[in-house]
Amino acid sequence: MEEACQRKGCQYRTGHPPRRLQLRFECNRRVHVTVALIILAGGVFGSEFSWGNGAHPLMAGISRDRFYASKVITLLGIAAVVTAAAAILSLLASLAVGVVVDQSFYTDRLTGSFMADALLMTIRAFIGIGLWVLIASAIALTTHSLAAGVGVTLGLYFGGDIVLTLLGATGDIGRWVTRLFPNEAINALLELNSADPPSYGAGDYAWIITNLVFYTVAAIVIAVIRFRRMDIIAASG
């Protein structure tokens, strides 16, 4: 579990304040949030076909692009709220620990730098979760299936890390190949939230941003094109 946690870069703290006042988003909590939202995204789009819900609003005249956009925006909004809530709860828990251990809230440490770091950590966590939501949505739309949308995405989320770890261990070529997958870019981004964040160069940031943007755009484009061409009645049958 510890190795998986390090792989996903999902325990972090701000670097400047003392260790007792830290913002931590523990591995199992972020993983649980991501899994829950993958299931929700797969369910939101997959259920439109398995239960036939999607045909009614579309037959009423709502455009497919608007229908897709409204659901994706709602899902990303939920992801943002949950991520922010988890970060706030982690901060409050850290303050509570300070009271119990040293009878101090350490409120003097809540500086602008601390809050800026906390905001950046939360945004990074949201980006990782949001991309998995988009991927789950695209797969569910492409396959017309809740089970496929959830199952395939969870397989990529957990199994992908294992495969990429083995591939990266084969040498330089293997490590370069791993950079073609979204798992690697998301994990690299979240490593910046770790207790000992890496020092990335311009090239590192370039491939991370390129990878994340590519998969974000690809997931949306594939979902939209597939949805526009889909026979909703047949898919819901």
Side-chain angles (χ1 to χ4, degrees), residues 176-189:
W176 278 102
V177 171
T178 63
R179 293 190 172 192
L180 300 176
F181 297 87
N183 306 59
E184 195 70 8
I186 292 172
N187 292 337
L189 179 68

Side-chain angles (χ1 to χ4, degrees), residues 33-118:
V33 169
T34 305
V35 170
L37 286 168
I38 286 173
I39 294 172
L40 179 61
V44 164
F45 286 98
S47 63
E48 299 296 342
F49 309 110
S50 59
W51 298 341
N53 297 333
H56 302 294
L58 294 175
M59 291 175 65
I62 297 178
S63 72
R64 298 193 181 201
D65 290 352
R66 181 180 174 186
F67 184 79
Y68 169 77
S70 65
K71 288 185 175 293
V72 165
I73 291 172
T74 299
L75 287 168
L76 293 178
I78 293 172
V81 169
V82 172
T83 304
I88 292 171
L89 289 174
S90 296
L91 176 57
L92 293 176
S94 295
L95 293 174
V97 169
V99 172
V100 172
V101 176
D102 291 328
Q103 291 76 49
S104 174
F105 271 114
Y106 289 100
T107 52
D108 60 316
R109 306 294 183 172
L110 295 177
T111 62
S113 176
F114 178 93
M115 300 308 295
D117 285 345

